[in-house]
Amino acid sequence: MPHTHPVLADFLSFTLSHHPIDIVKGQLTNGVHWHYLGDGILEFVPQHGSDQSLVLSAGIHGNETAPIELLNTLVQNIATGEQPLAVRLLMLLGNVAAMRQNCRYLQDDLNRLFDHRHQKLPDSPEAQRAANIEEAIAQFFDAASGKKYHLDLHTAIRPSSFSRFGLLPYQSRPYDAYLLSLLERCDLGALLINHAPAGTFAYHSSQHHSAESVTLELGKVQPFGQNQLAEFAGINALMRAMVAGTEPTTAAQPYKTFKVVAQLEKHSEDFVLNLPSDVANFTAYPKGTLIATDQGYEYIVSHGEERIVFPNPKVKPGVRAGLMVVEVNN
Ligand SMILES: [Zn+2]
């Protein structure tokens, strides 16, 4: 790619290397306009525009490398024209400061600070980043004229009964039928439906921009270069179809659906998670099991069976320490 701008040749390296230039833009030979909007934020618009808008984000947790690598390769393929582009596309690398240090976050979990919750933590480095990202997607979605989609790509920090799963944010409006049909075609084992507002990026884009949004957990955290990208073939094919404005060719596969019934509340440093520290996501517990305790608080399984997802007793007080989910019959 002799004439490819460094932004497009290696979006990740360009982002990580602290370029003093904040805004760079150009046009590809196929007419696609691209626009680097600063720190890990890159917009593509087809020559004649589009009424479909798509946000693809990764690295909201800085050490979740596999989806970052997928997006980086996607940018390269758009730049060469190998990957067709038929939608307005915003690619976003989330916690760039944490990515530079290969850690999940510096001070606060960025994926708890959206929905304007960063305003309560003005001194956190993640609060500034959450504000930047909220502003970038507001500008992008405010200029949208039709359907809006957002896939927020993650990898989990612990083993899971389902190596890939999706999490739909709480919505008072119905979920988009087309998004649900797409999610059947990217090799997910499970889909969780959240029960309440949250400070996640997917909740933010859904709630504040009426985007059809989903958080996707795609296997386990590994260092850069050590990901088995074949594990991500399903989601990669889906993203590429959405970018090209075509239907994915993957056959539909059923997944299990779960709804969130509760979140574990960490009120103080006395919080105790009554489970092994390496418990896998989706481990099931029968009615009556004591899951967690804190000052004046205990969580006991009240449904016939509940499963735990994202348990993390080390979060700061006031932050959710896990979700409890039950399977729903489709
Ligand atoms: Zn994550």
Side-chain angles (χ1 to χ4, degrees):
M1 296 190 289
H3 301 297
T4 300
H5 192 282
V7 168
L8 307 178
D10 195 337
F11 176 41
L12 173 59
S13 296
F14 190 87
T15 296
L16 293 180
S17 62
H18 271 302
H19 277 266
I21 327 150
D22 267 344
I23 295 182
V24 204
K25 58 183 170 181
Q27 192 172 16
L28 305 178
T29 51
N30 59 11
V32 168
H33 294 274
W34 62 270
H35 198 160
Y36 185 78
L37 298 158
D39 256 5
I41 305 175
L42 177 59
E43 181 184 82
F44 290 100
V45 179
Q47 185 166 19
H48 303 293
S50 172
D51 62 359
Q52 298 266 327
S53 297
L54 172 63
V55 173
L56 296 176
S57 53
I60 291 292
H61 295 129
N63 60 347
E64 296 179 358
T65 55
I68 297 170
E69 292 176 17
L70 290 183
L71 292 197
N72 202 36
T73 307
L74 188 54
V75 170
Q76 290 165 0
N77 295 160
I78 292 170
T80 59
E82 185 185 328
Q83 164 67 45
L85 178 105
V87 300
R88 300 174 70 243
L89 173 64
L90 190 71
M91 310 270 258
L92 209 146
L93 303 181
N95 197 335
V96 174
M99 284 164 53
R100 290 189 180 116
Q101 299 190 30
N102 195 27
C103 61
R104 185 172 169 83
Y105 53 80
L106 302 182
Q107 220 176 90
D108 290 283
D109 186 334
L110 181 56
N111 213 26
R112 303 290 176 270
L113 298 186
F114 293 98
D115 186 35
H116 310 310
R117 295 175 192 203
H118 56 85
Q119 290 167 356
K120 293 182 191 141
L121 295 168
D123 298 328
S124 168
E126 274 80 19
Q128 184 56 51
R129 185 58 176 158
N132 293 345
I133 292 173
E134 287 183 358
E135 193 185 325
I137 67 154
Q139 285 186 4
F140 179 73
F141 280 139
D142 286 352
S145 57
K147 291 299 290 265
K148 299 175 249 187
Y149 289 94
H150 176 203
L151 307 185
D152 186 34
L153 311 178
H154 290 249
T155 47
I157 49 180
R158 58 177 60 244
S160 174
S161 305
F162 304 103
S163 58
R164 288 174 290 277
F165 59 95
L167 181 61
L168 291 172
Y170 168 76
Q171 283 182 190
S172 53
R173 63 185 198 277
Y175 293 105
D176 180 64
Y178 187 59
L179 179 66
L180 294 177
S181 77
L182 291 175
L183 293 175
E184 284 179 0
R185 296 158 76 179
C186 62
D187 202 16
L188 297 180
L191 186 67
L192 271 66
I193 300 171
N194 214 335
H195 71 314
T200 64
F201 191 17
Y203 175 75
H204 181 90
S205 59
S206 163
Q207 176 68 16
H208 297 284
H209 302 289
S210 301
E212 310 303 343
S213 306
V214 64
T215 307
L216 293 167
E217 297 283 347
L218 305 163
K220 260 202 93 191
V221 167
Q222 307 284 356
F224 276 119
Q226 292 181 32
N227 293 296
Q228 302 295 318
L229 293 181
E231 280 182 45
F232 307 95
I235 185 62
N236 202 23
L238 173 64
M239 286 196 304
R240 284 167 179 271
M242 291 178 83
V243 169
T246 57
E247 292 284 319
T249 52
T250 331
Q253 287 179 329
Y255 48 68
K256 288 182 187 259
T257 305
F258 297 88
K259 67 174 182 190
V260 176
V261 292
Q263 64 179 20
L264 301 180
E265 295 167 26
K266 178 168 177 174
H267 299 295
S268 75
E269 293 299 345
D270 292 339
F271 180 90
V272 175
L273 185 67
N274 199 30
L275 307 176
S277 61
D278 60 348
V279 63
N281 276 330
F282 294 97
T283 302
Y285 295 94
K287 185 171 182 167
T289 308
L290 177 64
I291 299 289
T293 58
D294 200 346
Q295 290 176 26
Y297 170 82
E298 59 183 17
Y299 187 87
I300 296 172
V301 172
S302 63
H303 298 76
E305 177 186 271
E306 296 178 19
R307 294 170 183 244
I308 187 144
V309 186
F310 305 132
N312 188 354
K314 293 180 188 151
V315 296
K316 292 184 180 177
V319 176
R320 83 171 188 217
L323 295 176
M324 301 304 296
V325 307
V326 298
E327 187 169 352
V328 293
N329 296 318
N330 291 316

